Amino acid sequence: MTKKIMITATVDSIEQAKALLAIGIDTLYIGEKTYGLRLPHEFTQDELRELTGLAHAAGAKVTVAVNAIMHPDKMATIKPYLDFLQEIKVDQLTVGDTGVIFVLDRDGYKLPYIYDASTMVTSSRQVNFWGEQGAIGAVLSRELPKEELVALSDNLTVFGEILVYGATIIHQSKRPLLENYYNFIKTDEEKTRDRNLFLSEPKQEKTHYSIYEDSHGTHIFASDDVNLMTELGELTALNYTHWKLDGIYTPGDNFVKIAELFVQAKNLIMSGQFTAAQGFTFDEAIRSLHPVERTLGHGFYDLDPDEIQ
């Protein structure tokens, strides 16, 4: 029997959350701007409370992003925030900063956490170490090719979350790179994600690295967004059964429709009815719903590990 598959989806509004819960998403991924990274929407504490109640009423879970690098100003206010999250009974956190893990352990918080150090989570030894410290799982780097995922799968003692749809972060810097560039060219322009800014490598027009800046610094994404619909059967066979859908660049109803296709695929896999043909049919449907200005691919999945620098 196939191990239970769990799908986590980001949320850009309360209305979208309701729609995602209605189609059978297992976990809502939410947060606010001070402590969470790269969220489609930054919710207030009142909204976090409401969303947690909605998820629990639907039999689903809530994961709250507390995965920022906690510089002293953020660490100074982390305890009241953790108190709040425990009070509203969120199910789990994503955490990458060891200072937060220390506070969770020292003060006996009943807040399970998933280790999330972004692009740095690439080895089973690292994941298992944090499992020994109390993590219930780990967000695996989006830059792991299939060959390395195969090697990891036999050694993990806690689950590894896989991005199966959405944008892939490849670099974050605390430095305000866009602001510095604008200062250099003597202009004052908006630096937020809503601008849809991107970088291209010289003489490589097809490269399209989305970039934006916020209070956490500068965020740069891979040219292609990820769509692993046709590889879901293979990932499940490798025991990668925690799937992440990231709608940071796919807003509104189209993201819900894409999520529904992954829910359908999950149900077919669980019942032993998923076929390659069905996977390709779903894949084509996703492409029709994905933003036309953004490209889709398998990300790093098909790459030779020796080619990744």
Side-chain angles (χ1 to χ4, degrees):
M1 181 178 178
T2 300
K3 187 176 179 181
K4 184 172 176 60
I5 297 167
M6 303 297 292
I7 303 179
T8 296
T10 60
V11 179
D12 71 12
S13 68
I14 290 176
E15 291 71 25
Q16 189 190 63
K18 293 176 180 177
L20 289 167
L21 293 169
I23 63 170
I25 287 297
D26 300 292
T27 304
L28 300 181
Y29 187 81
I30 56 179
E32 57 82 77
K33 63 182 179 180
T34 304
Y35 308 104
L37 295 178
R38 295 178 288 277
L39 298 164
H41 184 77
E42 297 157 346
F43 292 100
T44 67
Q45 290 195 3
D46 285 343
E47 289 171 329
L48 292 177
R49 185 189 299 274
E50 180 179 357
L51 287 164
T52 301
L54 287 170
H56 290 169
K61 293 183 177 182
V62 162
T63 299
V64 173
V66 191
N67 57 344
I69 299 171
M70 301 300 173
H71 295 278
D73 59 324
K74 291 182 172 62
M75 281 302 297
T77 58
I78 192 65
K79 271 188 62 62
Y81 186 57
L82 295 176
D83 291 341
F84 166 73
L85 296 179
Q86 183 162 270
E87 185 256 315
I88 66 173
K89 295 181 171 59
V90 304
D91 298 281
Q92 54 217 14
L93 317 176
T94 54
V95 177
D97 193 298
T98 56
V100 178
I101 295 172
F102 173 79
V103 171
L104 289 170
D105 182 58
R106 181 195 66 189
D107 296 343
Y109 283 99
K110 299 185 186 308
L111 289 168
Y113 72 91
I114 300 166
Y115 183 65
D116 179 12
S118 192
T119 58
M120 294 186 289
V121 185
T122 59
S123 77
S124 58
R125 287 184 63 188
Q126 180 187 18
V127 172
N128 294 341
F129 171 83
W130 288 109
E132 292 169 3
Q133 310 314 307
I136 62 172
V139 178
L140 298 181
S141 170
R142 310 320 192 189
E143 298 174 324
L144 288 170
K146 175 185 171 183
E147 187 176 325
E148 293 187 2
L149 287 171
V150 170
L152 273 171
S153 66
D154 291 333
N155 297 317
L156 294 180
T157 58
V158 294
F159 71 79
E161 180 191 273
I162 295 284
L163 181 74
V164 295
Y165 173 80
T168 300
I169 182 68
I170 58 174
H171 180 73
Q172 179 191 345
S173 172
K174 176 62 176 173
R175 296 178 179 87
L177 302 181
L178 283 172
E179 180 181 340
N180 291 344
Y181 172 69
Y182 288 150
N183 289 340
F184 178 75
I185 63 174
K186 296 179 171 55
T187 187
D188 183 17
E189 296 188 36
E190 188 63 47
K191 302 177 288 291
T192 63
R193 178 165 48 87
D194 295 337
R195 281 290 308 280
N196 286 322
L197 298 170
F198 67 91
L199 304 170
S200 287
E201 294 186 29
K203 300 180 181 179
Q204 295 187 44
E205 294 182 2
K206 290 185 178 180
T207 54
H208 186 289
Y209 303 115
S210 294
I211 181 171
Y212 71 89
E213 188 179 305
D214 61 14
S215 65
H216 300 283
T218 307
H219 310 267
I220 302 175
F221 296 80
S223 286
D224 284 349
D225 292 344
V226 168
N227 173 21
L228 292 180
M229 172 60 75
T230 58
E231 312 304 320
L232 295 182
E234 189 170 61
L235 288 170
T236 304
L238 291 170
N239 289 319
Y240 291 114
T241 54
H242 286 72
W243 304 345
K244 175 74 173 295
L245 310 176
D246 193 327
I248 188 169
Y249 284 110
T250 309
D253 190 49
N254 276 14
F255 181 66
V256 176
K257 292 177 180 177
I258 289 170
E260 188 170 15
L261 292 168
F262 279 95
V263 172
Q264 291 178 36
K266 163 192 163 177
N267 292 336
L268 288 170
I269 291 172
M270 293 287 292
S271 63
Q273 301 178 66
F274 189 72
T275 64
Q278 185 65 71
F280 282 111
T281 298
F282 286 162
D283 182 84
E284 288 301 312
I286 289 167
R287 292 176 185 279
S288 71
L289 295 164
H290 190 68
V292 295
E293 70 276 11
R294 303 187 65 82
T295 54
L296 273 176
H298 282 178
F300 288 77
Y301 190 78
D302 298 323
L303 297 182
D304 183 329
D306 294 333
E307 294 178 359
I308 299 174
Q309 299 178 359

